[in-house]
Amino acid sequence: MAQQLQVLNALDVAKTQWYHFTAIVIAGMGFFTDAYDLFCISLVTKLLGRIYYHEEGSKDPGSLPANVAAAVIGVAFCGTLAGQLFFGWLGDKMGRKSVYGMTLMLMVICSIASGLSFGKDPKAVMATLCFFRFWLGFGIGGDYPLSATIMSEYANKKTRGAFIAAVFAMQGFGILTGGMIAVIVSAIFKAMYPAPTYAVDAIRSTVPEADYAWRIILMFGAIPAGITYYWRTKMPETARYTALVAKNAKQAASDMAKVLQVDLEAEEQKVEQIIQDKKNDFGLFSSQFLHRHGLHLLGTATTWFLLDIAFYSQNLFQKDIFSAIGWIPKARTMNAMEEVYRIARAQTLIALCSTVPGYWFTVAFIDKMGRFAIQLMGFFFMTVFMFALAIPYHHWTLPDNRIGFVVLYAFTFFFANFGPNATTFVVPAEIFPARLRSTCHGISAAAGKAGAIVGAFGFLSATDAIGVRKVLIMLCVINFLGMMFTFLVPESKGKSLEEMSGEADAEKGTST
């Protein structure tokens, strides 16, 4: 039986060691790049509008046409969704390590290529930018199932949730770094190439050198990811894949003996018993998988889908937030680099105050409170705060009450991160069998990204059609449904991966 393999037991009971922290950093760099890229593109689109879509005689600076802006942002989402499904499947077929370096190298190459998008003609620049952003998204998508699976299979039972959540929380550092790099680059360009405001001189307000600024900001994201490529290639394959999927007990014991610095038996006879036991050899599309894990997969995919609709629709309120605090003056009162500087500063501070703390609250409490409790609590408070924003929406639009709107908005996204945004990433890496773990995580993550596309684009259109208040009420209902579907997801706190997946009960034919 799986739970009798000494190498897996050794991983489950191992004390927190240095290799756990190196694994978090190595695995987390994909999420760093993911957050960096998604964060920076919102700053870059403003600058691209000024550079490539300036209209002679217009009282406002150029901005990307709605369809171009949707393409630049949305194409990365589509790439991510495809990458999650493809690399999730490939990670179970070829092994986690074999595919892991591929995704990172794809991210590094496409981050650099995005910044080298060629041509002076707007169509040429946007077309090449979209092409490389799709493949950047494809690489980022692969990192979701692989990073989660690798971290879950390396971690011990006691702190596994915190370790997987910490990998996801590297997004917070990506967001902060993205903001800081944009602030630094725009400040340098502002000092080196002074320019009048758009209202004073529309042409000279965007200096020719601004075309380098957005490219530098985009390309910088490749540096931390590139640095960790070497360590990714040096990571051994996870023992659970080697022993339970590749059926090579000797290699698994050898790899983990080096990592854990203990002597481990190969136990080839026990692996042979697992191979001969056909009760635990079902595929993804079998009735046995449907019976054991069908509701679990429905739960992880649906909660992630619903969460990301609410999470990505926050773009609806960004303008309200910035104007409420008074950080962003009207675009025509600034030059191009001043606008990048102001928006980057504002977004960095919002991320620092609401987004990043939520991630680390999850890391701190996930193995104490459990995944189920945190996810249920997060969806509950997101519902409550969205209702508080929606019912008296007119009240919040009055100038004197806008600070209250900002506070409620910040709490909504604090509880998204100290809640389902983290747990929907953690749980699919813990509850499925080793041979299907990466695939099932990829399916759940792809459902989430489909929700992100609905949230970022569908709800933006809905706002124009039915108004912000009705959209907020719809989001309340979505959060409430997320709370309901959470009841399909089992609690994995303190249990081994084999207990959760049913592999430990193979001989009895029972499931967890």
Side-chain angles (χ1 to χ4, degrees), residues 10-220:
L11 282 166
D12 279 340
V13 300
K15 289 180 179 174
T16 301
Q17 296 173 35
W18 183 246
Y19 80 87
H20 286 125
F21 295 108
T22 55
I24 287 168
V25 174
I26 294 165
M29 271 307 146
F31 289 95
F32 179 98
T33 306
D34 173 18
Y36 182 96
D37 170 69
L38 290 176
F39 187 80
C40 284
I41 200 69
S42 62
L43 310 174
V44 164
T45 50
K46 294 273 189 189
L47 190 54
L48 288 173
R50 284 191 183 237
I51 295 169
Y52 294 107
Y53 291 91
H54 170 69
E55 289 179 20
E56 200 67 48
S58 171
K59 67 184 176 100
D60 288 310
S63 61
L64 293 185
N67 62 331
V68 176
V72 168
I73 294 167
V75 78
F77 284 148
C78 297
T80 304
L81 192 154
Q84 286 162 337
L85 293 171
F86 176 72
F87 285 113
W89 168 79
L90 204 61
D92 283 333
K93 291 295 171 199
M94 289 177 59
R96 307 1 172 171
K97 185 202 168 177
S98 309
V99 186
Y100 209 29
M102 248 187 267
T103 60
L104 197 70
M105 192 42 65
L106 193 56
M107 279 189 263
V108 170
I109 291 167
C110 292
S111 279
I112 294 167
S114 294
L116 297 175
S117 298
F118 41 82
K120 287 268 181 185
D121 173 59
K123 278 187 182 173
V125 175
M126 293 306 137
T128 49
L129 181 61
C130 285
F131 174 81
F132 289 120
R133 278 184 59 75
F134 176 85
W135 292 107
L136 174 63
F138 195 69
I140 286 167
D143 233 60
Y144 274 73
L146 292 169
S147 289
T149 302
I150 285 171
M151 200 64 239
S152 75
E153 293 182 345
Y154 262 106
N156 57 43
K157 277 197 295 193
K158 192 179 174 187
T159 55
R160 186 179 61 236
F163 288 156
I164 306 171
V167 168
F168 194 62
M170 290 292 280
Q171 283 190 330
F173 290 123
I175 289 169
L176 287 181
T177 307
M180 290 189 313
I181 294 300
V183 165
I184 291 165
V185 169
S186 56
I188 291 170
F189 274 74
K190 214 165 53 158
M192 288 177 69
Y193 309 104
T197 65
Y198 184 87
V200 172
D201 189 330
I203 301 294
R204 286 177 52 234
S205 69
T206 307
V207 293
E209 291 80 6
D211 197 38
Y212 294 110
W214 70 268
R215 298 173 188 273
I216 292 166
I217 292 168
L218 282 188
M219 288 195 283
F220 188 88

Side-chain angles (χ1 to χ4, degrees), residues 318-493:
Q318 290 257 316
K319 290 176 197 147
D320 294 331
I321 295 292
F322 294 155
S323 58
I325 305 170
W327 280 338
I328 311 292
K330 285 190 166 62
R332 63 175 175 271
T333 66
M334 298 180 281
N335 62 43
M337 297 319 302
E338 177 70 21
E339 185 177 38
V340 174
Y341 177 82
R342 291 291 189 101
I343 296 172
R345 188 179 66 176
Q347 288 195 359
T348 305
L349 286 168
I350 281 181
L352 195 60
C353 295
S354 69
T355 307
V356 177
Y359 283 125
W360 292 101
F361 264 76
T362 304
V363 173
F365 291 107
I366 193 165
D367 289 308
K368 295 181 177 73
M369 292 172 64
R371 291 77 167 137
F372 179 82
I374 287 178
Q375 186 161 310
L376 203 64
M377 174 194 73
F379 271 127
F380 173 76
F381 280 113
M382 285 174 76
T383 308
V384 169
F385 287 122
M386 283 277 187
F387 261 121
L389 288 172
I391 302 304
Y393 181 69
H394 176 70
H395 169 81
W396 299 120
T397 57
L398 301 173
D400 292 345
N401 303 326
R402 282 190 164 183
I403 295 301
F405 179 87
V406 173
V407 172
L408 285 178
Y409 171 90
F411 271 121
T412 305
F413 291 97
F414 171 79
F415 280 107
N417 289 308
F418 180 33
N421 194 35
T423 53
T424 50
F425 176 78
V426 172
V427 175
E430 301 181 306
I431 62 177
F432 299 107
R435 69 191 175 283
L436 299 170
R437 187 170 289 135
S438 179
T439 303
C440 290
H441 195 286
I443 292 168
S444 303
K449 206 49 71 180
I453 293 167
V454 173
F457 303 108
F459 273 75
L460 280 173
S461 306
T463 308
D464 296 334
I466 61 173
V468 174
R469 185 172 182 270
K470 285 179 181 172
V471 166
L472 278 169
I473 292 169
M474 286 169 67
L475 290 175
C476 294
V477 174
I478 285 165
N479 288 328
F480 181 75
L481 287 173
M483 197 162 65
M484 293 298 100
F485 277 100
T486 297
F487 286 96
L488 296 178
V489 182
E491 178 56 77
S492 49
K493 182 180 80 167

